[in-house]
C-alpha cells in the first residue's frame, strides 16, 4: 500500500519548522516517508532535461524537504566564484543582496570541500536580504552538487529565527538527493549541449547546401563559411586559408584571428605549411606546436584545422581556434569536417564564377574598346550583341537592334550604290567590302566585313561573330594618291606645255618675231616657271608637314597689320572687280612669328577670296585682339561653301567639286595655311554660307610659345 507523503511536491510550503520527534517508531516512519518522497522527486528531476526548469525543481524540492523558508542554487564559475542561478522564496532585490554571502563561499569551499555545511548564524551576511524581505534568515544548510571531482555548485536552504536546526538525518538524505540532482543537472547540460550541436549541425548542413547551390560572390561565401563555422562550435576565431599560386594565404578571418599581427604571422610559409595538410588536425595546445607557437601570444590555446577539398582538389584549409584548453570534442571535429566538405562545393562554385566573371569582364572590355566593329549573331543570324564601334558606324543601338537580322543592321553598297550581300560564316568567300548604310539612310564609312562561326563543344554551329573593319582611312589614302597623281600631272603638264610651246616657237628657224613678241613670250615663260616653282615648293612643304614639321624663322615684334596692308596692296594690282579693305585697330599688338610664312597665309587667303568671287565684290582683312590672342579674318562675298566642303576644306589635295572648273590648283593652299598657323601655336577656321561668301579666320597667341627653326605640326 502506497504510503502518504507528508506533503506533495506542489503543495504550499509549510511555515512551521521540523520538530524533533520523541518516539523512535515515529522517527523511523518519518525517515521512510522522506526516502519515498526523495525517490519520487528524484524520478521527476531525472526526467527533466531543460536546465532552467530542472534547477527550479531542484531548489523547490530542497526547500520543501528541509521545511525551509527560502533557498538558492549558486553555480560555480571557472574562476571559483559563485553566482545565483535560481532562487525560491526571495524577490529579485533580495537575490541581489546575497553578495556578501556568496563572497565567503570560495574560502568556505577550500576549507571543507565536498562536504555538507550547516551555518548556525547567517544573519550578518544575509542582513541585506532581511532588509529587503523583512524576513530574518538566521541559519542555513548547503548541499554540494558534485559529479565525481567536478564541483558544479551548491544548493542553500535558509530558515528563519526560531526554526529548528537541520538534523544529521536531514543532511544525509539531502546529500543523496543532491548527488542525484548533480547527475540530473549534468545530464541536462549534456542534453542542452547536444541539442545545441544538433541544431548547429542542421543549420550548417542546410547552409552548406544553400552555399553550394546559390553562392556566386567568392568573398561573401568565404566570410559566411567562416562565420557559421565559428558560431557552430562556439569558437573564439576562425579563418580560411586558400591556395594562391601554390601557397596558402589568409583569405578571410573572424574573431581573434581577424587581427593584423595574426594575419602577418599566418602569411609565414613555415606556419601555413602545417595548416595545408589534407587531413583534419586537432591542435590540443598551440603553444606546444613549434610552427603555431606565435599564435599563443594572443592567448590562443586550442585549434582545429580541417581541409577544404572537393575530391582530390585541395583548395584550402579552415582553422578554428579558442582561448580555452582542450575545448574541442570529437563531435566538433566531425561537425567542422562535414561543414568544410559542404563548403568546399560553394567555394569552388564561387571561385569558378569569379574566374568566369573576370574573363567576361576582360572580354567585354576588349569588345567595348576594340576599334573594329564586333557583332554577335545567333544560329538564325539574328543580332544578339555588338560593341560601340558598330553603334558608331551604323547609328543603331543594341536595344533597338537586338533580335533583328544581321543583314538589316549591317548593309553594304558598292561605290556605284549597288547592294553588296553579306558573306556566309563558312565557304570560299567569307569577306565583303563596301560602304555601310547607316540607320538614317546616309552613307557610312567604307568597311571590310568578315564572319566567323561559333561552335559548341560538339562542333555544332550556334552563331557567328561579324568583324567590321573601317577602311575609310585606307580608301581616303588611295583617293588622295589618285587625286595627287591627277592634280600633279595636270598642274605640271600645263606650265611645261606652255613653256615648251613658246620656247619652240621662239627657236624656229622660219620664225622672225619682233622684239615685242619676244618680250611677251618671255614673260609667259617666266610666269609659268614661277608657277612651277610655287607648285614644287608647295609639294615640298606638304611633304615636310607630313613628315612632322615645317621650318620657321621667328622674329620678335612682327606687325600683322602691316603684313595685311602689303598683301592687300599687292592683290589690288591683280583685280579691278574687287574692293580690298583692311580694318585693324591702331593699337594692334606686335607678336613673335615668322613674317614670311604669315604673309604666305594672307596671300593664300586673299588669292582664294578673289578666285572664288568671280563676280567681284568686297574683300575685308580684319584684325582684333583680346588679352591672350590676336585674331585675323579674310571675308569675301563669293560662292561660299557647303557644310561638307567646310569639313574637308583643310584636307591635303582637297578641292570642292563645283569649284574645280573655276580655277586651277593642287588643293594644297589651305592645307599649308593650317600647318603654318598651327606651327605658330594658333588655330584656323572657316565659316561660310553657300551663295553668300566665306570667312577664313586664324588666331595666334600674343605671348607665343618658344618657336624653333623646326616646329612640330600638331
Amino acid at each position: 500500500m502506497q504510503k502518504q507523503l507528508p506533503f506533495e511536491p506542489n503543495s504550499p510550503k509549510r511555515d512551521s519548522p521540523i520538530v524533533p520527534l520523541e518516539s523512535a517508531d515515529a522517527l523511523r516512519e518519518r525517515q521512510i516517508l522522506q526516502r519515498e518522497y526523495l525517490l519520487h522527486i528524484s524520478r521527476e528531476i531525472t526526467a527533466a532535461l531543460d536546465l532552467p526548469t530542472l534547477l527550479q525543481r531542484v531548489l523547490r524540492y530542497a526547500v520543501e524537504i528541509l521545511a525551509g523558508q527560502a533557498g538558492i542554487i549558486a553555480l560555480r564559475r571557472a574562476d571559483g566564484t559563485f553566482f545565483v542561478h535560481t532562487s525560491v522564496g526571495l524577490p529579485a532585490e533580495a537575490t541581489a543582496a546575497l553578495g556578501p554571502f556568496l563572497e565567503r563561499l570560495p574560502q568556505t569551499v577550500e576549507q571543507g570541500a565536498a562536504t555538507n555545511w550547516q551555518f548556525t548564524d547567517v544573519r550578518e551576511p544575509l542582513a541585506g536580504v532581511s532588509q529587503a524581505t523583512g524576513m530574518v534568515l538566521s541559519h542555513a544548510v548547503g548541499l554540494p552538487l558534485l559529479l565525481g571531482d567536478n564541483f558544479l555548485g551548491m544548493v542553500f536552504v535558509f530558515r528563519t529565527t526560531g526554526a529548528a536546526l537541520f538534523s544529521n538525518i536531514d543532511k544525509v538524505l539531502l546529500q543523496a538527493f543532491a548527488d542525484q540532482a548533480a547527475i540530473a543537472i549534468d545530464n541536462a547540460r549534456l542534453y542542452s549541449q547536444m541539442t545545441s550541436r544538433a541544431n548547429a549541425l542542421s543549420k550548417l548542413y542546410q547552409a552548406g547546401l544553400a552555399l553550394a547551390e546559390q553562392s556566386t560572390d567568392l568573398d561573401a561565401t568565404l566570410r559566411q563559411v567562416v562565420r557559421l563555422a565559428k558560431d557552430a562550435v562556439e569558437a573564439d576565431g576562425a579563418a580560411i586559408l586558400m591556395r594562391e599560386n601554390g601557397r596558402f594565404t589568409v583569405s578571410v578571418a573572424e574573431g581573434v584571428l581577424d587581427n593584423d599581427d595574426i594575419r602577418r604571422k599566418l602569411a609565414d610559409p613555415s606556419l601555413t605549411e602545417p595548416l595545408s595538410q589534407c587531413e583534419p588536425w586537432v591542435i590540443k595546445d598551440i603553444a606546444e606546436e613549434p610552427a603555431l607557437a606565435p599564435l599563443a601570444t594572443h592567448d590562443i590555446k586550442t585549434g582545429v584545422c580541417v581541409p577544404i577539398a572537393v575530391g582530390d582538389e585541395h583548395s584550402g584549409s579552415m582553422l578554428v581556434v579558442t582561448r580555452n584548453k582542450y575545448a574541442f570534442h570529437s563531435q566538433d571535429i566531425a561537425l567542422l569536417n562535414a561543414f568544410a566538405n559542404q563548403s568546399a562545393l560553394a567555394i569552388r562554385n564561387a571561385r569558378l564564377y569569379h574566374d568566369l566573371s573576370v574573363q567576361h569582364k576582360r572580354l567585354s572590355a576588349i569588345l567595348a574598346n576594340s576599334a573594329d566593329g564586333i557583332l554577335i549573331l545567333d544560329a538564325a543570324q539574328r543580332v544578339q550583341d555588338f560593341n560601340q564601334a558598330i553603334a558608331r558606324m551604323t547609328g543603331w543601338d543594341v536595344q533597338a537592334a537586338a533580335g533583328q537580322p544581321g543583314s538589316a543592321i549591317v548593309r553594304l553598297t558598292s561605290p556605284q550604290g549597288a547592294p553588296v550581300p553579306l558573306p556566309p560564316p563558312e565557304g570560299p568567300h567569307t569577306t565583303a567590302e563596301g560602304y555601310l548604310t547607316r540607320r538614317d539612310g546616309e552613307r557610312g564609312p567604307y568597311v571590310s566585313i568578315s564572319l566567323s562561326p561559333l561552335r559548341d563543344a560538339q562542333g555544332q554551329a550556334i552563331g557567328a561573330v561579324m568583324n567590321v573593319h573601317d577602311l575609310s582611312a585606307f580608301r581616303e589614302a588611295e583617293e588622295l594618291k589618285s587625286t595627287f597623281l591627277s592634280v600633279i600631272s595636270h598642274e605640271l603638264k600645263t606650265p611645261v606645255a606652255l613653256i615648251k610651246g613658246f620656247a619652240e616657237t621662239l627657236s624656229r628657224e622660219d620664225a622672225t618675231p619682233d622684239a615685242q613678241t619676244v618680250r611677251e613670250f618671255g614673260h609667259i615663260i617666266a610666269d609659268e616657271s614661277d608657277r612651277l616653282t610655287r607648285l614644287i615648293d608647295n609639294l615640298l612643304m606638304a611633304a615636310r608637314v607630313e613628315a612632322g614639321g615645317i621650318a620657321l624663322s621667328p622674329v620678335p615684334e612682327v606687325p600683322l597689320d602691316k603684313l595685311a596692308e602689303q598683301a592687300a596692296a599687292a592683290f589690288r594690282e591683280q583685280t579691278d572687280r574687287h574692293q580690298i579693305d583692311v580694318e585693324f585697330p591702331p593699337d594692334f599688338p606686335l607678336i613673335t612669328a615668322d613674317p614670311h610664312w604669315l604673309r604666305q597665309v594672307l596671300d593664300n587667303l586673299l588669292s582664294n577670296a578673289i578666285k572664288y568671287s568671280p563676280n567681284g565684290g568686297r574683300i575685308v582683312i580684319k584684325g582684333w585682339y583680346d588679352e591672350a590672342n590676336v585674331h585675323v579674318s579674310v571675308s569675301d562675298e563669293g560662292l561660299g561653301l557647303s557644310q561638307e566642303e567646310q569639313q574637308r576644306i583643310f584636307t591635303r589635295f582637297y578641292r570642292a567639286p563645283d569649284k574645280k572648273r573655276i580655277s586651277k590648283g593642287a588643293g594644297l593652299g589651305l592645307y599649308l595655311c593650317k600647318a603654318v598657323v598651327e606651327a605658330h601655336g594658333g588655330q584656323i577656321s572657316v565659316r561660310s554660307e553657300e551663295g553668300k561668301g566665306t570667312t577664313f579666320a586664324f588666331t595666334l597667341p600674343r605671348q607665343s610659345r618658344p618657336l624653333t627653326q623646326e616646329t612640330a605640326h600638331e
Side-chain angles (χ1 to χ4, degrees):
M1 178 177 178
Q2 181 72 31
K3 294 186 179 180
Q4 181 66 36
L5 296 176
F7 49 86
E8 294 298 326
N10 294 324
S11 64
K13 177 180 60 184
R14 294 185 299 172
D15 295 327
S16 59
I18 297 175
V19 179
L21 299 177
E22 298 178 357
S23 168
D25 292 338
L27 179 59
R28 283 195 299 272
E29 182 68 18
R30 177 172 172 269
Q31 291 174 349
I32 292 171
L33 291 175
Q34 285 184 329
R35 288 192 183 96
E36 290 178 352
Y37 183 35
L38 180 59
L39 179 61
H40 173 81
I41 59 177
S42 296
R43 288 172 178 168
E44 187 173 346
I45 287 173
T46 53
L49 293 174
D50 178 62
L51 188 58
T53 303
L54 175 61
L55 292 179
Q56 188 70 27
R57 287 183 182 179
V58 167
L59 183 58
R60 179 164 55 85
Y61 294 153
V63 171
E64 291 179 351
I65 287 174
L66 276 80
Q69 278 69 49
I72 63 170
I73 288 182
L75 296 184
R76 195 183 188 200
R77 297 189 181 96
D79 59 2
T81 61
F82 290 81
F83 68 97
V84 176
H85 185 281
T86 308
S87 66
V88 168
L90 295 175
E93 59 270 21
T95 303
L98 285 168
F101 179 76
L102 295 177
E103 290 174 0
R104 299 186 182 186
L105 287 183
Q107 182 178 2
T108 305
V109 170
E110 285 183 11
Q111 294 173 351
T115 64
N116 296 319
W117 291 280
Q118 179 167 242
F119 304 90
T120 57
D121 189 357
V122 291
R123 287 175 294 180
E124 179 185 348
L126 296 180
V129 177
S130 298
Q131 292 176 2
T133 62
M135 179 173 55
V136 180
L137 301 178
S138 60
H139 48 279
V141 65
L143 308 175
L145 302 177
L146 296 172
L147 186 65
D149 295 333
N150 190 8
F151 190 179
L152 304 178
M154 291 189 68
V155 177
F156 288 95
V157 178
F158 303 101
R159 284 181 181 171
T160 57
T161 302
L165 296 177
F166 300 102
S167 68
N168 289 332
I169 295 175
D170 289 337
K171 287 187 286 185
V172 170
L173 290 172
L174 291 173
Q175 183 62 64
F177 165 73
D179 291 342
Q180 292 195 34
I183 295 173
I185 291 173
D186 192 58
N187 288 341
R189 279 183 168 177
L190 291 175
Y191 176 77
S192 176
Q193 291 175 358
M194 292 301 295
T195 301
S196 175
R197 296 291 166 81
N199 290 336
L201 178 59
S202 177
K203 290 180 181 178
L204 289 176
Y205 181 74
Q206 294 301 324
L209 291 179
L211 286 172
E213 292 176 358
Q214 300 176 5
S215 184
T216 56
D217 186 328
L218 179 59
D219 185 65
T221 299
L222 294 176
R223 290 194 178 281
Q224 188 174 7
V225 167
V226 165
R227 193 175 301 114
L228 289 170
K230 170 180 168 291
D231 295 342
V233 294
E234 300 178 1
D236 294 309
I240 285 182
L241 295 85
M242 299 299 294
R243 188 190 297 275
E244 297 289 345
N245 300 321
R247 293 181 55 187
F248 277 77
T249 57
V250 178
S251 295
V252 293
E254 284 280 328
V256 296
L257 294 182
D258 189 12
N259 175 290
D260 291 340
D261 182 54
I262 288 180
R263 283 177 176 270
R264 282 192 297 271
K265 290 174 179 177
L266 287 175
D268 186 349
S270 65
L271 192 151
T272 56
E273 181 63 28
L275 300 176
S276 62
Q277 57 190 331
C278 298
E279 296 294 331
W281 180 28
V282 180
I283 312 158
K284 294 183 177 179
D285 190 344
I286 283 181
E288 294 180 359
E289 293 289 342
L292 303 181
L295 298 182
T297 59
H298 293 270
D299 198 28
I300 297 173
K301 294 184 172 60
T302 306
V304 175
C305 182
V306 294
I308 296 174
V310 178
D312 296 332
E313 181 186 347
H314 183 203
S315 57
S317 296
M318 181 164 60
L319 175 65
V320 182
V321 300
T322 74
R323 286 175 166 169
N324 298 321
K325 269 195 173 184
Y326 316 117
F328 294 107
H329 302 284
S330 58
Q331 62 265 31
D332 295 325
I333 300 163
L335 175 64
L336 290 173
N337 197 43
F339 180 55
N341 291 335
Q342 288 290 344
S343 301
L345 293 172
I347 293 171
R348 185 181 68 172
N349 291 344
R351 174 170 275 183
L352 289 174
Y353 180 85
H354 175 265
D355 293 344
L356 288 173
S357 178
V358 170
Q359 292 182 12
H360 180 266
K361 289 178 181 178
R362 187 182 296 120
L363 291 175
S364 295
I366 293 172
L367 180 69
N369 297 302
S370 173
D372 284 352
I374 301 175
L375 188 145
I376 311 298
L377 302 173
D378 62 17
Q381 300 295 294
R382 295 186 177 275
V383 174
Q384 288 186 314
D385 196 8
F386 55 73
N387 64 355
Q388 287 297 316
I390 289 286
R392 184 177 62 255
M393 293 178 190
T394 65
W396 283 87
D397 59 83
V398 175
Q399 290 76 13
Q404 300 267 11
S407 57
I409 307 304
V410 180
R411 295 175 290 163
L412 294 183
T413 58
S414 67
Q416 295 75 32
V420 176
L422 294 182
E426 298 179 279
H429 303 290
T430 58
T431 62
E433 289 187 9
Y435 285 101
L436 275 176
T437 301
R438 293 176 55 82
R439 186 180 184 181
D440 57 10
E442 295 292 324
R443 173 182 278 192
Y446 191 85
V447 298
S448 170
I449 292 178
S450 62
L451 265 75
S452 302
L454 289 174
R455 301 185 184 280
D456 59 17
Q458 289 72 39
Q460 297 297 318
I462 57 174
V465 177
M466 180 185 295
N467 186 276
V468 182
H469 182 60
D470 191 344
L471 297 176
S472 298
F474 175 78
R475 189 164 182 82
E476 286 179 5
E478 289 294 314
E479 290 177 351
L480 280 177
K481 178 181 177 181
S482 176
T483 301
F484 171 77
L485 294 175
S486 174
V487 168
I488 295 307
S489 63
H490 180 269
E491 292 297 317
L492 287 175
K493 190 174 183 179
T494 301
V496 167
L498 288 172
I499 291 171
K500 184 175 185 298
F502 282 105
E504 287 178 346
T505 299
L506 290 175
S507 63
R508 284 176 55 182
E509 295 181 358
D510 60 341
T512 56
D514 54 26
Q516 179 65 28
T517 301
V518 171
R519 282 196 295 275
E520 290 178 357
F521 282 15
H523 284 310
I524 292 173
I525 291 173
D527 289 342
E528 294 301 320
S529 297
D530 290 341
R531 181 179 168 190
L532 274 176
T533 300
R534 286 194 300 273
L535 177 60
I536 292 170
D537 287 343
N538 284 344
L539 288 172
L540 290 174
M541 184 178 175
R544 199 176 190 86
V545 170
E546 285 299 306
I550 61 174
L552 293 181
S553 300
V555 297
E557 300 184 353
V558 174
L560 263 178
D561 51 349
K562 298 296 189 295
L563 289 179
E565 285 286 1
Q566 293 170 8
F571 277 91
R572 288 188 188 109
E573 299 296 324
Q574 300 179 22
T575 179
D576 56 2
R577 289 181 294 176
H578 299 81
Q579 176 185 337
I580 303 177
D581 298 327
V582 179
E583 299 177 357
F584 278 74
D587 58 345
F588 195 82
L590 304 176
I591 64 170
T592 298
D594 186 327
H596 166 73
W597 283 114
L598 290 186
R599 174 61 189 274
Q600 290 282 5
V601 171
L602 291 169
D603 286 353
N604 205 314
L605 296 179
L606 280 172
S607 175
N608 280 351
I610 290 172
K611 283 191 293 186
Y612 298 113
S613 302
N615 298 325
R618 187 167 179 251
I619 297 174
V620 180
I621 309 175
K622 185 177 182 179
W624 69 99
Y625 64 93
D626 54 35
E627 186 176 341
N629 302 298
V630 296
H631 308 270
V632 178
S633 66
V634 178
S635 303
D636 63 54
E637 298 174 343
L639 302 175
L641 297 167
S642 67
Q643 287 295 323
E644 182 182 356
E645 291 169 341
Q646 292 178 52
Q647 292 175 3
R648 303 183 63 189
I649 197 66
F650 295 107
T651 303
R652 182 178 50 156
F653 300 125
Y654 177 76
R655 301 188 67 212
D658 59 343
K659 310 295 191 300
K660 292 180 181 179
R661 56 183 176 81
I662 297 176
S663 65
K664 301 175 182 178
L668 290 173
L670 291 174
Y671 170 75
L672 295 177
C673 285
K674 183 175 184 288
V676 170
V677 170
E678 290 181 351
H680 281 82
Q683 293 180 330
I684 189 169
S685 61
V686 62
R687 186 178 70 254
S688 183
E689 188 176 348
E690 288 188 275
K692 294 186 178 181
T694 301
T695 297
F696 286 94
F698 61 88
T699 298
L700 300 174
R702 290 181 62 174
Q703 299 295 329
S704 298
R705 64 180 182 179
L707 300 177
T708 61
Q709 293 297 319
E710 291 289 331
T711 301
H713 171 54
E714 299 174 347

